[in-house]
Amino acid sequence: MQTLAFDGRTGAAGDMILAALVAAGADPDVLAPVEAALPIEYRIDETTEKGIAATTVDVGIEGGGSDTDDADANGSDPGGAAHAHQHGETTHSHGRTHDHENDGTHDDENDETGDGHAHAHTRAEGAGAHRTYAECRDLVASMDLSDRVEADALATFRRLGVAEARVHGTDLESTHFHEVGADDAIADIVGAALLVDDLGVESIVTTPVAAGGGEVSMSHGTYPVPAPAVAYIAGEANWELVGGPVETELLTPTGAAVLAQFADGVDSLPSLSVESVGYGAGRKSLADRPNVLRATVGAASGGLVRDGIRVLETVVDDTTPEVLGGLHDRLADAGARDVTVVPTAMKKSRPGHLIQVVVRPEDVSAVAERLAAETGTLGVRETPTTHRWIAERSVEASTIELNGERYEVDVKIAADDAGDIYDVSAEYDDCAAVAAETGRPTREILRRAETAYRASETSDSEQ
């Protein structure tokens, strides 16, 4: 399975993710729809961070041109040439490095507000209207994007919108983005969706993502790291958030939302046949380590698939067997992945049932409401489960021969993500129907169907 793996030990910001994806092999020409829809340009450059050759991506104001006075003020090399991606045309700078500084204010970069980069252009940081969630959604929908890219970009904005709404106590539709509603943040989010799509990977993972430490200054005041929106986004993500390793902000809302949308969490870099490695640099200089986000692309060896879930529970003592019997189908219609009903004893030894429902994070609310409506329970618990490990599953036909007649039986195939089969299970109803027709025991039909499928797979592999 083609896999993209991020190393989250120095956090992430929108521009760092863009840079890491480009450095790992994504084609920056795919960013053209964003440049066509917004008055911005993606400027791609190279830098060296603590001896690591890395890529940077800045979002600049279209036609901003050279700004040598500002470059001198930031201690840059005014003779350096900007490396700009402008609708397929790229100019390169040679022999340049970037100074890094930070004034401690929070924006949607990896602690990079000091803009210590030696760029001879005007950056779009915070430029443009600060839009509501609905306005961001309409803008993305107006771009010339594929269905998959548009869906990923809109889902990322929704994550940001839900987090902002929770922080400010507002509803999603009227939530007004602050730093993350400006042109550069939109360019980061849609750009990430475009570059991920261009890489064409089947799986994206990240090691635990560092938030940093200390405090961060925002438009509403000073807060401890991670910033409130980052904390909410991480709570809905399938990866782990860790503090440190330095006392400064490392993970921004846009960086968190992009990783939450695309990446599943792993404890360490998975086994990969490495094909490419890229480093995306942030603009802040860290004292004892390079401020880079590493992206590794390669073929992963087989294993189970990590599936982000939540578990809902409730206990009932007055629900009829008929309602319990139909509960699986009713909850599945609302988004449940699995439903278990377990007999239990309640207080005063009353008989009851424990209902456990496996559900994806985005379906929690809908399934909880359906569970309450179907059972009449007065409360539903959400347990802190974050994921499960599941097999790749498929259903295929197995052909068996009995008394000169051929019968087809569906079998469920369980395989790891490399396609190696480790379980074959015949569908009971199909086998029972064949058993009734032939007069053979059902367990014989089950065994024959599973054996026949395994034999056909062995034969195919030897050809």
Side-chain angles (χ1 to χ4, degrees), residues 398-418:
S398 175
T399 303
I400 61 176
E401 187 171 332
L402 293 168
N403 302 325
E405 297 290 335
R406 294 167 66 87
Y407 301 90
E408 280 198 351
V409 173
D410 282 347
V411 291
K412 184 178 294 182
I413 312 302
D416 62 24
D417 60 10

Side-chain angles (χ1 to χ4, degrees), residues 69-390:
D69 290 339
D70 286 346
D72 288 337
N74 283 327
S76 65
D77 173 10
H83 171 155
H85 165 69
Q86 300 177 359
H87 301 280
E89 181 177 355
T90 304
T91 51
H92 296 269
S93 65
H94 300 278
R96 292 186 57 210
T97 59
H98 292 72
D99 290 333
H100 299 260
E101 59 186 49
N102 180 47
D103 64 4
T105 61
H106 171 77
D107 68 6
D108 199 53
E109 310 289 351
N110 176 280
D111 280 332
E112 47 204 359
T113 52
D115 197 12
H117 279 314
H119 290 294
H121 67 263
T122 303
R123 295 190 64 248
E125 185 175 308
H130 287 193
R131 302 169 178 87
T132 64
Y133 164 73
E135 290 168 340
C136 291
R137 183 184 58 201
D138 292 343
L139 178 60
V140 171
S142 72
M143 297 181 182
D144 185 18
L145 306 174
S146 69
D147 291 344
R148 176 177 176 178
V149 170
E150 180 178 321
D152 281 332
L154 290 175
T156 304
F157 273 110
R158 182 177 178 82
R159 291 179 184 275
L160 283 165
V162 169
E164 289 278 358
R166 293 181 69 182
V167 170
H168 301 297
T170 59
D171 65 277
L172 177 62
E173 289 299 323
S174 63
T175 292
H176 203 291
F177 289 131
H178 295 277
E179 292 86 353
V180 295
D183 289 349
D184 61 318
I186 292 173
D188 285 344
I189 291 169
V190 182
L194 286 162
L195 293 172
V196 165
D197 184 66
D198 183 68
L199 279 178
V201 296
E202 301 168 85
S203 172
I204 302 175
V205 298
T206 182
T207 60
V209 184
E215 296 180 333
V216 58
S217 296
M218 301 171 58
S219 55
H220 296 290
T222 300
Y223 293 85
V225 170
V230 171
Y232 282 127
I233 292 168
E236 297 300 320
N238 292 330
W239 36 261
E240 293 183 1
L241 182 69
V242 296
V246 295
E247 288 294 296
T248 190
E249 184 189 34
L250 295 178
L251 180 61
T252 66
T254 295
V258 171
L259 290 180
Q261 175 61 27
F262 289 104
D264 289 322
V266 292
D267 294 331
S268 60
L269 185 70
S271 298
L272 296 174
S273 297
V274 177
E275 298 174 10
S276 64
V277 179
Y279 293 87
R283 280 193 295 277
K284 183 173 183 181
S285 181
L286 304 179
D288 61 348
R289 67 198 70 217
N291 184 21
V292 294
L293 174 66
R294 180 169 65 189
T296 304
V297 176
S301 59
L304 295 179
V305 178
R306 181 174 173 138
D307 185 34
I309 62 165
R310 300 291 187 268
V311 176
L312 302 178
E313 291 184 344
T314 191
V315 180
V316 296
D317 63 1
D318 58 354
T319 303
T320 66
E322 292 81 5
V323 169
L324 292 174
L327 201 55
H328 189 287
D329 290 341
R330 296 289 289 165
L331 295 180
D333 290 342
R337 312 302 297 170
D338 197 11
V339 179
T340 303
V341 180
V342 182
T344 189
M346 302 178 66
K347 64 183 180 180
K348 298 182 180 179
S349 298
R350 292 200 311 271
H353 292 86
L354 169 65
I355 303 170
Q356 294 179 317
V357 186
V358 176
V359 60
R360 288 182 175 166
E362 59 268 27
D363 296 324
V364 165
S365 179
V367 174
E369 289 179 9
R370 180 66 61 84
L371 178 58
E374 292 292 330
T375 65
T377 183
L378 300 180
V380 176
R381 296 184 298 274
E382 179 180 344
T383 63
T385 304
T386 60
H387 65 274
R388 61 178 177 174
W389 296 99
I390 61 173

